[in-house]
């Protein structure tokens, strides 16, 4: 296995405008992904995501927005050391690409940057598998959240 990228595609029953807001606005992101999300969603914007363990321990993670093309693309780098600018070699790149699909949206998520971290193979494999498991869990929460959000807006 190459451990180069994680790719997932899901169809969401909402327009790209809604899906873009849900993957780029921290108010929505924290409803389906981390426990806390505080970042500026404009290109170059920085902030942090916070994951809380079952024991209540907080794990802050840096995030830096790369691209925000309304209704089409939202990408960011994350996991760089707090206080350091994100770059190739110290962070992962996540891309959410949105494509209209009938009355919904096809969302493609890609995460890259695993090999570029320079880790020994055991760390690379463990991190890759952890992220795979994490994305499978969190992306499965995205469509139900969008449905609840849309129902509340009516």
């Amino acid at each position: 296995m190459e451990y180069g990228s994680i790719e997932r595609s899901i169809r969401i029953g909402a327009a790209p405008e809604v899906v873009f807001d849900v993957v780029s606005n921290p108010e929505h992101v924290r409803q389906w992904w981390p426990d806390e999300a505080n970042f500026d969603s404009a290109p170059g914007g920085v902030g942090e995501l916070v994951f809380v363990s079952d024991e209540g321990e907080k794990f802050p993670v840096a995030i830096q927005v790369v691209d925000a093309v309304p209704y089409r693309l939202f990408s960011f780098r994350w996991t760089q050391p707090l206080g350091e600018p994100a770059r190739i070699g110290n962070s992962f790149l996540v891309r959410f690409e949105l494509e209209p699909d009938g009355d919904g949206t096809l969302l493609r998520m890609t995460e890259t940057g695993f090999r570029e971290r320079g880790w020994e193979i055991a760390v690379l494999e463990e991190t890759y598998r952890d992220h795979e498991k994490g994305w499978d869990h969190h992306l499965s929460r995205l469509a139900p959240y969008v449905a609840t959000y849309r129902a509340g807006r009516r």
Side-chain angles (χ1 to χ4, degrees):
M1 182 172 233
E2 69 170 278
Y3 305 108
S5 67
I6 296 171
E7 299 174 15
R8 299 289 184 267
S9 294
I10 58 172
R11 186 182 185 286
I12 300 173
E17 294 82 2
V18 172
V19 177
F20 181 83
D21 194 31
V22 169
V23 299
S24 65
N25 180 329
E27 294 293 321
H28 294 297
V29 171
R30 71 176 61 111
Q31 300 301 317
W32 62 270
W33 189 25
D35 297 289
E36 298 174 27
N38 300 296
F39 59 89
D40 177 352
S41 58
V46 297
E48 72 178 14
L49 308 173
V50 179
F51 296 88
V52 180
S53 73
D54 292 339
E55 295 76 34
E57 187 176 358
K58 292 186 174 193
F59 297 93
V61 179
I63 181 173
Q64 182 172 341
V65 176
V66 175
D67 285 307
V69 181
Y71 323 133
R72 294 185 43 219
L73 171 70
F74 184 72
S75 67
F76 58 88
R77 287 194 164 278
W78 73 308
T79 73
Q80 69 270 20
L82 291 172
E84 283 189 28
R87 58 178 165 64
I88 295 171
N90 79 344
S91 61
F92 300 109
L93 175 65
V94 174
R95 292 175 54 91
F96 290 113
E97 297 175 74
L98 292 73
E99 180 181 319
D101 184 39
D103 63 350
T105 302
L106 179 62
L107 174 73
R108 290 185 184 92
M109 186 285 305
T110 306
E111 183 177 34
T112 58
F114 294 91
R115 290 184 311 234
E116 293 80 357
R117 300 299 285 260
W119 293 323
E120 63 179 44
I121 191 67
V123 173
L124 173 63
E125 288 176 7
E126 180 182 353
T127 303
Y128 184 90
R129 288 193 177 109
D130 182 54
H131 282 234
E132 267 190 321
K133 188 171 122 183
W135 284 119
D136 289 344
H137 171 75
H138 293 291
L139 289 175
S140 73
R141 297 172 49 172
L142 187 53
Y145 172 70
V146 169
T148 300
Y149 169 58
R150 286 184 68 214
R153 291 177 55 195
R154 292 183 186 162

